[in-house]
Amino acid sequence: MLFLLASGLQAFSQRYNFEHYNIEDGLVQSQVTAITQDKQRRLWIATLGGLSCFNGNQFINFGKTDGLNSNFILSLAVNAQNSLFIGSGRGLSAYNGFSFYHYKETNNWTDMLVAGTGNMVYGLSDRHLFKTNRSATERVNISRDTAEMVTTLATDQGGKIWAAVYTHGIYSLEGNKWQAKITGAAVKNLVVTGLLIDKFVKDKIWLLTTTGIFLSENGKLLSRYAGKIKKATAILQDEKGNIWLGTNKGAWYISTDHEIYFNAKNGFTDNVVKQIFRDAENNIWFGTDGSGIYRFNSNGYVTFDESQGLQNNIVMSIVNGPKPDEIWLGTYDGLFSQQNNQIRRISIPSDNEDTKRINVLLKDSKNNIWVGTVGGGLWLYHKNRFKRIDHESRGIACNAIMEDKDHNIWLSTNTGCFMVDNLSKKISRISPRFGSSLLEIGKDSIITGTQNGAYLVNHKKEIKRLKFRLIEGSSILAMLKNGPDVFFGTADNGLIIWDTVTGKVKQLSTKNGLFSDHIYSLLLDKKGTIWIGTGRGINRLNSKDHSLIKGNDGNALLVECNQNAILEKDDKIWIGTTKGAIVHYNKISPSVAGTPYVFINSAGVLSQNKKGDQNNLQITYKERELNQEITLPYDHNHLNINFTGIYLTNPKALMYTYRLIGLDTTYSKPAANSSINYTALPPGKYTFQVKALTVSGIESGNTAAIHFQITPPYYQTAIFKIFILLVILLLIILSVYVIINLNERQRRLRLKIKLEEQFKIRKQTAEDFHDDLGNKLTRISVLSEVLTSMTDQDDTEKRAIIQKIKTNVNELYTGTKDILWSLNPKHDTLCELLTHIREFGQEMFNGTPILFEEETSLNDTDSRLSLEMSRNILMIFKEAIHNALKHSKADHVKFTAKMAHDVLDIRLDDNGTGFDVASAGNGHGINNMNVRAARINGILNIISNTKGTTIALSVKFKTSKNAESGRSKSSYHRR
């Protein structure tokens, strides 16, 4: 951008825009020897009095007391790992952000360092080349000459290392080998002090030497600028290919078409420039010997002020002069013209000092200049002479002058609005109101702006107040017409846009991006852009959609513009301000703005005391420690996070927006604060993110972040909650178990009581039944015997009846024996049951030809049986024994009982003739046996054929070893 405007810059004297920093701004010392930049965009400045780190707002300085081995710093370099290498009068050092490390191998004068690819850094110590990768340092030999002297080092765009070896030539490092690039007698005699490998033209190399500047191109070595530059001390190529040269007196800028010399006369310095550096935002920095550092503002404007010949920086009005190449400037110290690289005073023939207070200028259609003063009258410059027009009127202050389409001159003053007739030159009052601005919107239609709104003047007589929103009561300082739109620049109310066709009114203010709500000047240029001079800078507006044009934040010049002091000439915009005349070059598009960079400096962790209302600083995590996730206990939940944004183009334009993921869902509103406090954070995982942005909305190219988590107290952890849940479940289970156990014990107790009652009842019933029924049956039997003895022997019929009575009594007695046996509780065991069945079988087959055998095997187990089970098993096998005796026609019957796996198997086998099981099922005996088996959940199998019959019963139940039972075997044979 600078070079596109260079044709205008060299045509006249002006002050270029440099930002200057020296010891008054915090720089450690003003003799600057080297400048570099680290990954965080911080500038590191080497001086002969120490080391400075600059973030755009403040300097942090280092010296011997901080760990440096010498304050005499000569060179700097930053490698890929962001380690800073420092060359001083006492050798090489490195800084990792926390401490300094000094290399014992290089303890001599180290005046040059360059960073290559990877982590390797090359340097010169006593004219010998060395390299280091932070852990080791070794000497490097380029040529075969062991006594070689390397005079300078450089890197090209690809990071390749270049070196100048005295009497040998220029070399580059290709892989691991040094290759000669420029040799020959011409270069061997040169002491090369600086190298630049052109980024845009192949095989083009600039050489700075003790005897001048040389350029190697296409195999030829030619001397350059011998007549202009005596000694070049530094060289740089910018992003557009232009060359910057530091000399022993100021600096030069060289493009393909233009050359600009910067010195003390145009805003720079005459001191030696030791280094030129281009930062990541493409800003150009100059390190000088005695004047500190300078940054060139390539922002498209220059300044005319007192340093260029003006007697007063308050430029109130600007117009084209009578000559085509002349500009007139009205100040509060008189009238000046700028022409042919000269600024000269134009004297108005008056002894009144107020005549020098120029408030407004106008060049009319006849090439006359109208000069309005504050109390010094209205003057007309015509044919090289001044003439006063207002007839020596006192106290009139002209605020605006305008020529209408009829070539009449309108004046807006503190005493009203006047018109100077084009023909008669007669002055007539149009309005008595205080006037501040004028605008013609049509034939015989003039708007006059006042301190209390605007008025429309028709036909030079009719005056009508403009009544619409925002205009009434506003002080109108400037006006502009573009198509149907009329723009009103006001004091305090910003810019008001009135559509004369639709009647709609729109307002633009600082809320929309204006630098100030005080609008002093308006101009529509040839490109259709509206320039707005405000109380705090210059805005540009798109005239079509009324949107503000955002520019590079480096262009945000903080100046107070003056009323109606604005002019377009030759694609330049002249604006009068309180700091002189600012000239913008309208042909030039603004350069691409660099992006800010942000990083987090530290995170301070504070803990809550026992009362919960006081915080104490516990620990501070520095930048390097923030790369990993931080884990904090629950009571260390107060954080103070500090961050820094780097925007060297315009540090004052920087703001920050941030969020805490885990607490915030969106970024905060932009603010200038560079730290944030979070108090009483609940346990959880968090990520803090911060971005830097400028006032025009340019965001940083990176987002700085730290990750941390606050662990919950033990009573809030998942393990503790699971433990508590398990304890609760165990308590519930234990409670349920206790309740069930208690219920079971109560049930068992009730059952025991019930069984005991049953036992007593059964025992009592058995005893009563035996005593009562037994006695009765015995009596009946005795009486039957008595009756038999009394009956005649021949009375067979009676004797038969008596015999039946005796038989029934015996059968009834036999039947009652089983009932009595069952009722007796002492018989409720498996062994008693089997013994009873065995005895029953023995009794039944006694005296018969049938052999009865029995076999029991209970595996030393015995079980108590319920009455129901004991009774049903007994009745099943009594029926089976009875049927075998009565119907089987067998001569052998075997009764078997065994216990295996809690299953009782009882069998009755005979070798009789068998029977039809299907037809027998219709009878009562077999059917009753099945019913009784079902009652006790047993399985009854009846198998019968011509070889015999088997009746098998299986009953499953748990046994208890509370009684002994062995295996017994016996045989009874009755014939």
Side-chain angles (χ1 to χ4, degrees):
M1 179 184 67
L2 175 67
F3 305 116
L4 291 175
L5 59 88
S7 59
L9 295 183
Q10 66 178 358
F12 49 85
S13 175
Q14 62 274 308
R15 181 171 59 84
Y16 296 97
N17 299 288
F18 288 89
E19 290 288 338
H20 181 209
Y21 302 93
N22 56 21
I23 59 173
E24 295 178 358
D25 303 293
L27 186 66
V28 66
Q29 205 255 3
S30 293
Q31 291 176 283
V32 177
T33 57
I35 303 173
T36 191
Q37 190 173 32
D38 62 20
K39 305 299 182 183
Q40 281 76 32
R41 306 277 186 91
R42 295 171 295 196
L43 282 186
W44 292 86
I45 302 102
T47 76
L48 299 184
L51 180 66
S52 289
C53 179
F54 183 52
N55 64 9
N57 291 307
Q58 63 179 354
F59 289 88
I60 299 175
N61 298 320
F62 301 88
K64 289 192 67 175
T65 57
D66 302 297
L68 284 173
N69 60 0
S70 171
N71 288 338
F72 203 75
I73 311 299
L74 302 170
S75 55
L76 298 171
V78 175
N79 70 356
Q81 289 184 337
N82 205 32
S83 293
L84 176 68
F85 289 80
I86 306 158
S88 71
R90 299 189 62 182
L92 178 67
S93 303
Y95 181 64
N96 61 4
F98 296 91
S99 60
F100 292 93
Y101 173 79
H102 307 297
Y103 293 84
K104 297 179 180 179
E105 300 89 344
T106 56
N107 53 11
N108 295 324
W109 188 283
T110 304
D111 58 354
M112 183 164 289
L113 292 171
V114 293
T117 56
N119 296 319
M120 196 66 67
V121 172
Y122 290 80
L124 296 182
S125 179
D126 288 338
R127 297 303 178 187
H128 296 299
L129 180 64
F130 67 87
K131 67 178 181 179
T132 178
N133 60 358
R134 183 68 173 86
S135 59
T137 300
E138 62 177 297
R139 182 171 173 176
V140 177
N141 188 257
I142 297 176
S143 66
R144 296 180 179 180
D145 185 0
T146 57
E148 69 180 13
M149 289 197 330
V150 181
T151 58
T152 190
L153 296 174
T155 57
D156 60 17
Q157 189 175 10
K160 187 188 301 181
I161 305 297
W162 292 69
V165 183
Y166 181 59
T167 71
H168 289 279
I170 309 300
Y171 293 80
S172 68
L173 183 59
E174 309 286 344
N176 295 320
K177 294 183 178 181
W178 291 92
Q179 301 290 337
K181 294 296 182 179
I182 304 176
T183 58
V187 70
K188 287 183 179 181
N189 295 324
L190 296 176
V191 179
V192 181
T193 58
L195 278 176
L196 174 67
I197 293 82
D198 198 290
K199 300 176 183 178
F200 300 92
V201 181
K202 188 177 180 180
D203 298 328
K204 183 178 180 180
I205 302 175
W206 294 74
L207 284 74
L208 306 185
T209 73
T210 55
T211 55
I213 302 172
F214 291 84
L215 183 62
S216 173
E217 189 173 13
N218 298 324
K220 296 181 180 180
L221 188 66
L222 301 174
S223 176
R224 298 295 302 272
Y225 311 108
K228 295 182 179 181
I229 304 174
K230 295 181 180 179
K231 184 179 181 180
T233 53
I235 188 169
L236 175 88
Q237 188 175 39
D238 63 23
E239 77 280 7
K240 295 182 180 180
N242 305 298
I243 301 298
W244 297 77
L245 287 168
T247 73
N248 59 349
K249 188 177 182 179
W252 282 82
Y253 158 79
I254 301 170
S255 71
T256 55
D257 300 321
H258 305 93
E259 300 168 3
I260 303 174
Y261 177 46
F262 301 104
N263 56 23
K265 294 181 180 180
N266 56 19
F268 192 53
T269 179
D270 286 338
N271 284 341
V272 176
V273 177
K274 300 290 289 185
Q275 187 174 14
I276 307 175
F277 178 76
R278 180 169 64 92
D279 65 23
E281 300 168 26
N282 294 320
N283 295 305
I284 305 298
W285 295 83
F286 301 86
T288 70
D289 186 9
S291 298
I293 59 174
Y294 288 80
R295 177 174 66 87
F296 180 74
N297 288 334
S298 58
N299 42 22
Y301 68 87
V302 295
T303 305
F304 288 91
D305 55 19
E306 292 177 355
S307 63
Q308 278 76 49
L310 290 177
Q311 299 300 309
N312 192 295
N313 282 338
I314 302 177
V315 178
M316 297 300 299
S317 187
I318 305 173
V319 296
N320 291 311
K323 298 177 181 178
D325 56 350
E326 188 178 25
I327 297 291
W328 281 30
L329 307 172
T331 75
Y332 270 1
D333 191 28
L335 188 63
F336 295 84
S337 72
Q338 187 280 322
Q339 183 184 21
N340 296 329
N341 204 26
Q342 296 290 331
I343 293 178
R344 64 181 180 87
R345 179 185 287 274
I346 300 174
S347 298
I348 300 176
S350 173
D351 295 333
N352 186 359
E353 285 297 321
D354 289 338
T355 304
K356 294 183 178 181
R357 299 180 64 193
I358 311 299
N359 213 26
V360 60
L361 298 172
L362 171 72
K363 181 179 180 180
D364 63 20
S365 57
K366 299 177 181 179
N367 207 35
N368 300 316
I369 305 295
W370 294 77
V371 182
T373 69
V374 181
L378 175 67
W379 296 80
L380 177 65
Y381 183 79
H382 175 66
K383 294 182 179 180
N384 299 324
R385 297 184 62 182
F386 282 98
K387 177 183 178 182
R388 187 163 182 174
I389 303 300
D390 60 345
H391 308 295
E392 303 290 336
S393 297
R394 294 284 182 176
I396 296 178
C398 287
N399 298 317
I401 304 176
M402 182 196 73
E403 182 181 19
D404 64 18
K405 293 180 180 179
D406 294 328
H407 305 294
N408 300 310
I409 302 299
W410 291 71
L411 307 174
S412 187
T413 73
N414 61 333
T415 60
C417 179
F418 298 85
M419 187 192 75
V420 181
D421 187 85
N422 177 44
L423 299 177
S424 65
K425 297 296 186 286
K426 180 181 178 181
I427 300 176
S428 58
R429 184 189 293 268
I430 303 300
S431 169
R433 296 178 182 83
F434 182 100
S436 55
S437 56
L438 293 164
L439 177 68
E440 183 177 22
I441 62 172
K443 186 173 178 59
D444 293 326
S445 295
I446 306 294
I447 296 179
T448 173
T450 73
Q451 289 184 326
N452 187 23
Y455 294 82
L456 178 63
V457 180
N458 288 323
H459 305 292
K460 307 178 185 61
K461 294 181 180 180
E462 299 178 7
I463 301 175
K464 180 181 179 182
R465 186 183 183 91
L466 295 179
K467 296 182 179 181
F468 53 84
R469 185 173 60 91
L470 300 175
I471 285 295
E472 292 185 283
S474 295
S475 178
I476 312 300
L477 304 179
M479 292 184 289
L480 173 70
K481 186 175 186 302
N482 179 37
D485 296 326
V486 176
F487 298 80
F488 297 89
T490 72
D492 297 327
N493 284 332
L495 184 66
I496 298 171
I497 306 171
W498 172 38
D499 190 325
T500 57
V501 176
T502 64
K504 292 182 179 180
V505 178
K506 179 180 179 181
Q507 182 187 27
L508 295 178
S509 66
T510 51
K511 295 180 179 179
N512 307 104
L514 287 179
F515 295 140
S516 172
D517 289 330
H518 282 70
I519 310 300
Y520 290 105
S521 54
L522 295 170
L523 173 72
L524 177 67
D525 67 15
K526 297 175 182 178
K527 294 182 178 180
T529 300
I530 296 176
W531 292 73
I532 306 170
T534 78
R536 292 185 62 83
I538 301 165
N539 288 102
R540 292 180 298 155
L541 186 72
N542 190 315
S543 61
K544 295 181 180 180
D545 59 7
H546 304 155
S547 62
L548 286 171
I549 300 172
K550 294 184 179 181
N552 189 334
D553 286 278
N555 288 330
L557 183 65
L558 183 60
V559 291
E560 182 180 0
C561 300
N562 288 325
Q563 186 178 353
N564 294 316
I566 191 164
L567 171 72
E568 180 179 23
K569 180 179 176 61
D570 299 332
D571 296 311
K572 304 179 188 69
I573 306 298
W574 292 68
I575 301 175
T577 74
T578 58
K579 295 182 179 181
I582 306 298
V583 184
H584 283 265
Y585 291 81
N586 206 21
K587 276 187 176 181
I588 304 163
S589 300
S591 61
V592 178
T595 59
Y597 185 89
V598 64
F599 62 95
I600 298 174
N601 297 320
S602 63
V605 181
L606 301 97
S607 67
Q608 194 177 61
N609 66 5
K610 294 181 179 179
K611 295 182 179 180
D613 56 359
Q614 183 179 355
N615 298 324
N616 298 314
L617 182 63
Q618 296 294 315
I619 189 170
T620 299
Y621 293 91
K622 295 295 184 180
E623 179 183 348
R624 189 173 64 176
E625 301 172 293
L626 299 176
N627 295 329
Q628 299 179 350
E629 184 178 78
I630 302 171
T631 301
L632 304 172
Y634 72 94
D635 57 344
H636 288 59
N637 58 350
H638 296 237
L639 268 73
N640 175 261
I641 303 173
N642 296 284
F643 40 87
T644 298
I646 305 292
Y647 189 56
L648 300 175
T649 302
N650 188 3
K652 296 179 180 179
L654 205 57
M655 296 186 294
Y656 304 93
T657 179
Y658 45 80
R659 67 176 176 179
L660 183 62
I661 298 176
L663 187 67
D664 303 324
T665 56
T666 59
Y667 279 93
S668 66
K669 292 183 178 180
N673 297 332
S674 59
S675 65
I676 181 66
N677 288 309
Y678 291 101
T679 60
L681 288 173
K685 287 192 174 184
Y686 298 94
T687 298
F688 175 77
Q689 294 179 329
V690 59
K691 294 188 290 187
L693 71 163
T694 66
V695 291
S696 64
I698 301 174
E699 288 191 357
S700 56
N702 71 311
T703 299
I706 60 172
H707 307 277
F708 64 93
Q709 65 171 328
I710 299 175
T711 58
Y714 71 92
Y715 52 82
Q716 291 183 0
T717 60
I719 295 176
F720 183 80
K721 291 178 180 179
I722 293 173
F723 173 75
I724 293 299
L725 180 61
L726 291 176
V727 170
I728 293 173
L729 290 175
L730 288 175
L731 290 175
I732 293 173
I733 293 172
L734 181 61
S735 300
V736 172
Y737 173 77
V738 170
I739 293 172
I740 293 175
N741 195 34
L742 290 175
N743 290 336
E744 181 63 20
R745 291 180 62 183
Q746 290 178 359
R747 186 188 67 80
R748 290 179 180 179
L749 181 59
R750 289 194 299 270
L751 180 60
K752 182 178 179 182
I753 295 172
K754 181 179 179 181
L755 291 175
E756 289 177 354
E757 290 296 328
Q758 289 179 352
F759 180 84
K760 292 178 181 179
I761 294 173
R762 288 171 59 193
K763 185 176 181 181
Q764 185 67 39
T765 301
E767 292 175 353
D768 293 344
F769 187 79
H770 179 270
D771 293 342
D772 190 21
L773 184 60
N775 290 334
K776 293 293 190 296
L777 291 176
T778 301
R779 187 177 180 182
I780 294 172
S781 179
V782 171
L783 291 174
S784 298
E785 290 292 337
V786 173
L787 184 60
T788 302
S789 63
M790 294 175 63
T791 304
D792 189 82
Q793 294 288 335
D794 296 329
D795 193 353
T796 58
E797 184 177 355
K798 289 180 180 180
R799 283 182 172 272
I801 293 172
I802 293 171
Q803 186 61 39
K804 287 181 179 181
I805 292 172
K806 289 175 68 176
T807 301
N808 287 330
V809 168
N810 292 332
E811 289 179 355
L812 179 60
Y813 179 76
T814 301
T816 57
K817 285 182 9 180
D818 290 335
I819 296 174
L820 293 174
W821 183 88
S822 298
L823 287 175
N824 193 342
K826 71 178 183 178
H827 299 147
D828 290 346
T829 65
L830 181 58
C831 290
E832 287 290 334
L833 173 63
L834 297 178
T835 300
H836 187 70
I837 295 173
R838 183 184 62 195
E839 291 176 351
F840 176 78
Q842 291 172 353
E843 182 180 354
M844 290 294 293
F845 293 108
N846 188 24
T848 68
I850 300 174
L851 175 65
F852 177 75
E853 290 182 334
E854 56 86 18
E855 182 179 355
T856 60
S857 178
L858 299 182
N859 297 326
D860 298 329
T861 60
D862 194 6
S863 297
R864 181 166 291 279
L865 304 179
S866 65
L867 176 62
E868 182 181 16
M869 181 172 287
S870 177
R871 176 69 178 169
N872 284 288
I873 293 174
L874 176 62
M875 296 308 294
I876 289 172
F877 283 93
K878 283 185 69 176
E879 179 70 20
I881 291 172
H882 182 268
N883 290 337
L885 177 64
K886 186 176 180 180
H887 304 292
S888 68
K889 299 179 181 180
D891 58 7
H892 183 266
V893 176
K894 185 176 181 181
F895 174 76
T896 306
K898 63 180 181 179
M899 178 73 72
H901 304 296
D902 294 335
V903 176
L904 176 64
D905 290 321
I906 306 175
R907 294 165 58 95
L908 187 69
D909 298 287
D910 67 62
N911 59 355
T913 58
F915 62 94
D916 186 359
V917 177
S919 61
N922 296 325
H924 292 288
I926 299 300
N927 187 50
N928 287 338
M929 292 172 69
N930 287 319
V931 171
R932 290 183 183 278
R935 286 176 182 172
I936 60 174
N937 296 321
I939 300 174
L940 181 67
N941 290 319
I942 301 175
I943 303 172
S944 182
N945 51 42
T946 57
K947 294 182 180 181
T949 301
T950 298
I951 296 175
L953 176 65
S954 294
V955 180
K956 186 175 182 180
F957 60 96
K958 291 185 178 180
T959 63
S960 60
K961 296 180 180 180
N962 55 6
E964 287 189 0
S965 177
R967 176 176 176 177
S968 63
K969 211 174 204 184
S970 60
S971 296
Y972 295 88
H973 186 207
R974 296 289 182 264
R975 295 191 183 270

